[in-house]
Amino acid sequence: MHNKLVELLLEHYDNMGGDIQDEIKEIEEHIHKSLELNKGVENDAYEYKIRMYKLKYRNNLDELKQHQDELCKELQKIAPWHPNVLYVFDLCDKLSEKMIKESIDFYSKSDDNIAIEKCYIHLLNFYSKNTSYNFDNILDIIRKYETEYEPSTDYQVKKGIILEQYEYLKDALEIFDSVEETEQIIIQKMKILSYLELTDQFENLYNKVHKSPTVIKFYYELSNQYKEFID
């Protein structure tokens, strides 16, 4: 419950300007209580702590770096291979290919397929964000993982997003059609159908799905209904 409250508060205050130090104190209290209950690296409170630091010290980059460094050192001593630790390092722009591959090797020895997949998702994400790697490098990772393991829905969604990023739109759409139609998936499909100018399919999809405020906003934006979008 503490983590859920923190997640909601961070989302609410993330894009707000002005002085929100009192609100940050409330977020810090919930993070502290969450870590009192569970100090293990599997606790998402560590991720939220980094996001809170980015809010708290957004006008003091030196202090932000200091707190990020301290938390990264603390987590690296506990479990440097854990997917949650990799995610914290990623949030701090400290994640390396070496760290991810060492984590994959570690979990391969313990046959922890869930952790292995999370590490591969980190690797795909790392390659897709880093200009030192091209799409062939990403394809190599995809082939390697899918040859040895059975992908989950989370992996398929990440793969679809990367394929979309590299403009393999029909392949991405095929993946999104094969998974549960969540709000995120609906928006991804709407974007692809709009880019491919498949107007009838775009309209049919919108007409049949649950129209959350986010889906409606994307519909107006992607269909160039700018007055409705602004309203």
Side-chain angles (χ1 to χ4, degrees):
M1 289 299 295
H2 288 300
N3 283 353
K4 190 61 185 175
L5 278 165
V6 168
E7 182 183 12
L8 293 169
L9 288 166
L10 284 169
E11 286 175 5
H12 181 66
Y13 293 116
D14 201 28
N15 295 315
M16 290 183 67
D19 184 8
I20 56 170
Q21 293 306 310
D22 288 341
E23 289 80 3
I24 288 173
K25 285 178 184 175
E26 182 183 359
I27 293 171
E28 280 186 294
E29 286 172 8
H30 286 296
I31 290 173
H32 178 71
K33 288 174 181 176
S34 173
L35 290 172
E36 278 188 332
L37 291 167
N38 179 9
K39 287 186 169 61
V41 292
E42 70 277 3
N43 189 343
D44 291 335
Y46 291 109
E47 166 204 336
Y48 299 140
K49 201 170 190 178
I50 291 296
R51 290 173 58 189
M52 179 272 295
Y53 285 154
K54 289 186 175 185
L55 272 179
K56 185 174 183 178
Y57 303 113
R58 61 187 174 190
N59 297 319
N60 190 335
L61 296 182
D62 289 338
E63 198 160 357
L64 170 61
K65 184 178 182 304
Q66 178 188 334
H67 282 86
Q68 287 180 336
D69 289 349
E70 287 172 359
L71 184 56
C72 285
K73 286 176 184 175
E74 177 188 340
L75 294 178
Q76 201 165 26
K77 288 177 183 175
I78 302 169
W81 55 83
H82 196 281
N84 283 15
V85 175
L86 297 182
Y87 188 56
V88 168
F89 271 72
D90 192 22
L91 287 174
C92 298
D93 296 321
K94 292 176 176 294
L95 187 60
S96 69
E97 181 183 21
K98 180 174 179 288
M99 284 181 67
I100 304 171
K101 288 190 171 180
E102 285 176 353
S103 297
I104 291 172
D105 289 341
F106 175 85
Y107 286 111
S108 296
K109 292 169 187 172
S110 61
D111 292 326
D112 187 339
N113 290 358
I114 294 174
I116 289 170
E117 181 176 90
K118 287 179 179 178
C119 292
Y120 268 99
I121 291 173
H122 275 302
L123 192 58
L124 287 173
N125 192 49
F126 181 81
Y127 278 18
S128 67
K129 291 195 303 184
N130 196 319
T131 55
S132 301
Y133 303 94
N134 57 38
F135 190 63
D136 286 336
N137 298 130
I138 291 170
L139 280 181
D140 287 342
I141 296 299
I142 289 173
R143 290 191 192 104
K144 179 174 172 54
Y145 178 74
E146 293 182 9
T147 300
E148 298 179 23
Y149 303 97
E150 186 69 31
S152 72
T153 298
D154 287 344
Y155 171 89
Q156 293 286 19
V157 170
K158 184 62 190 177
K159 178 182 173 182
I161 290 170
I162 289 174
L163 289 172
E164 182 182 349
Q165 177 184 333
Y166 284 88
E167 298 187 5
Y168 289 85
L169 300 181
K170 290 183 178 179
D171 294 318
L173 185 59
E174 187 176 328
I175 289 173
F176 294 138
D177 279 336
S178 71
V179 299
E180 182 184 353
E181 212 164 57
T182 62
E183 181 181 81
Q184 178 196 17
I185 296 302
I186 291 165
I187 290 167
Q188 294 294 343
K189 288 167 70 171
M190 285 172 60
K191 284 164 65 177
I192 292 172
L193 292 170
S194 173
Y195 297 154
L196 293 173
E197 298 183 347
L198 297 172
T199 308
D200 289 345
Q201 291 183 46
F202 176 83
E203 293 292 340
N204 288 338
L205 173 65
Y206 180 70
N207 288 334
K208 73 173 188 175
V209 300
H210 172 66
K211 294 172 181 58
S212 69
T214 306
V215 168
I216 294 170
K217 179 177 77 72
F218 269 93
Y219 170 75
Y220 286 141
E221 181 180 13
L222 292 168
S223 58
N224 300 326
Q225 298 185 55
Y226 293 112
K227 182 184 182 304
E228 293 83 352
F229 174 58
I230 291 167
D231 290 342

